[in-house]
């Protein structure tokens, strides 16, 4: 049975694309019921339409409060029949009421190794700081920003020559692999939150890609197809 999901975006939607691709490859057992953007010009909307997905633009500035904006999204998501919410570059902070509407069913991807570098434009922050490693994190969403229990992380090297752009692209390539994997585990009911930790039932061991061009550590490991 495919997990019915809503994907929330604000921009390019490359993570949305990776989710669409894995669904079409029948590796990810999810069904995108609706793609919601708070920006009418988000390129992710074009991607969604190319795959005949339902799209909705809900512009936050048309609402007098965060609560009203979020309730409008909750209505659309529920009416579309989605049970889980996938934040894929969605640049708004969600209210407690939104989070409580989908308990333990909201995921986010963040382009850093949390809890380091929460917030925005973190690829440039990490590059400028001179870290030797950065990466990406998929986590459950709770009421604090970039804070919920961590499902999977991928670590990539950062180089002295990096800026936010080059490091960000290296990270993004792994976002596209770990996010569909995490969603598949959610779809299969294999994630159990225990306090701050997430147990992934029968997960593979650490995945190591040791090649020179795109080295990475991924924990838990990726399953075939991801
Ligand atoms: C990604 O780097 C993601 O980690 C962050 O926002 C960016 C979205 O990129 N939350 P895209 O719209 O999926 O291409």
């Amino acid at each position: 049975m495919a997990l019915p999901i809503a994907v929330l975006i604000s921009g390019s939607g490359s993570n949305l694309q990776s989710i669409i691709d894995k669904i079409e490859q029948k590796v990810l057992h999810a069904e995108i019921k609706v793609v919601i953007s708070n920006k009418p010009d988000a390129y992710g909307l074009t991607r969604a339409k190319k795959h005949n997905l339902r799209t909705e633009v809900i512009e936050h500035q048309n609402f007098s409060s965060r609560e009203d904006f979020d309730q409008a999204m909750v209505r659309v998501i529920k009416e579309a029949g989605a049970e889980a919410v996938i934040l894929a570059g969605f640049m708004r902070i969600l209210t407690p009421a939104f989070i409580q509407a989908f308990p333990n069913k909201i995921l986010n991807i963040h382009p850093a190794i949390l809890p380091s570098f929460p917030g925005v434009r973190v690829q440039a922050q990490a590059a400028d700081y001179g870290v030797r490693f950065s990466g990406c994190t998929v986590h459950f969403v709770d009421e604090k920003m970039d804070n919920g229990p961590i499902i999977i992380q991928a670590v990539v090297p950062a180089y002295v020559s990096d800026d936010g752009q080059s490091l960000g692209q290296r990270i993004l390539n792994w976002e596209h692999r770990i996010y569909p994997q995490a969603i598949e585990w959610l779809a299969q009911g294999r994630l159990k939150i225990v306090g701050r930790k997430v147990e992934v039932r029968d997960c593979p061991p650490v995945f190591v890609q040791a090649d020179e061009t795109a080295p990475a550590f991924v924990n838990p490991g990726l399953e075939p197809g991801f």
Side-chain angles (χ1 to χ4, degrees):
M1 246 254 312
L3 176 69
I5 61 175
V7 183
L8 273 51
I9 62 167
S10 300
S12 148
S14 71
N15 277 288
L16 165 67
Q17 187 68 56
S18 73
I19 294 164
I20 294 171
D21 293 345
K22 289 296 170 205
I23 291 173
E24 291 188 348
Q25 291 163 20
K26 302 197 187 311
V27 175
L28 171 55
H29 300 91
E31 184 187 350
I32 299 175
K33 294 288 194 181
V34 62
V35 173
I36 300 176
S37 175
N38 64 319
K39 303 257 188 197
D41 57 351
Y43 181 63
L45 291 167
T46 306
R47 297 181 192 267
K49 284 178 192 146
K50 277 189 192 153
H51 294 266
N52 298 316
L53 297 173
R54 174 176 168 190
T55 59
E56 297 284 345
V57 175
I58 307 178
E59 290 183 80
H60 58 274
Q61 64 264 39
N62 292 346
F63 295 84
S64 53
S65 70
R66 271 184 201 282
E67 285 72 20
D68 288 353
F69 169 62
D70 278 12
Q71 282 318 309
M73 291 198 294
V74 169
R75 272 195 299 278
V76 169
I77 293 166
K78 297 224 161 173
E79 178 261 315
E83 290 171 13
V85 179
I86 306 301
L87 307 181
F90 183 68
M91 302 301 284
R92 304 292 301 171
I93 293 171
L94 297 168
T95 56
F98 183 100
I99 289 157
Q100 286 153 19
F102 307 98
N104 296 336
K105 288 279 190 296
I106 309 174
L107 302 191
N108 183 43
I109 186 147
H110 182 74
I113 296 295
L114 291 172
S116 288
F117 299 106
V120 295
R121 287 182 293 280
V122 296
Q123 302 95 328
Q125 284 181 44
D128 293 348
Y129 193 93
V131 297
R132 292 296 184 173
F133 289 99
S134 190
C136 42
T137 304
V138 180
H139 63 94
F140 283 103
V141 172
D142 67 9
E143 293 179 16
K144 294 189 198 146
M145 193 183 60
D146 298 329
N147 180 75
I150 292 169
I151 299 166
I152 184 170
Q153 292 183 311
V155 170
V156 302
Y159 303 112
V160 172
S161 55
D162 271 325
D163 57 13
Q165 172 66 30
S166 59
L167 178 58
Q169 186 57 53
R170 193 173 308 121
I171 293 170
L172 192 61
N173 291 338
W174 288 94
E175 295 186 35
H176 297 160
R177 296 185 64 178
I178 68 170
Y179 211 3
Q181 171 70 86
I183 299 164
E184 176 66 6
W185 286 331
L186 182 72
Q188 292 182 3
R190 287 167 61 191
L191 301 178
K192 185 177 170 197
I193 300 175
V194 184
R196 259 220 62 88
K197 299 188 183 181
V198 179
E199 291 175 4
V200 184
R201 184 160 28 89
D202 300 326
C203 63
V206 175
F207 174 88
V208 182
Q209 181 161 299
D211 74 61
E212 267 170 45
T213 50
F217 279 98
V218 184
N219 189 27
L222 298 167
E223 293 176 336
F226 290 100

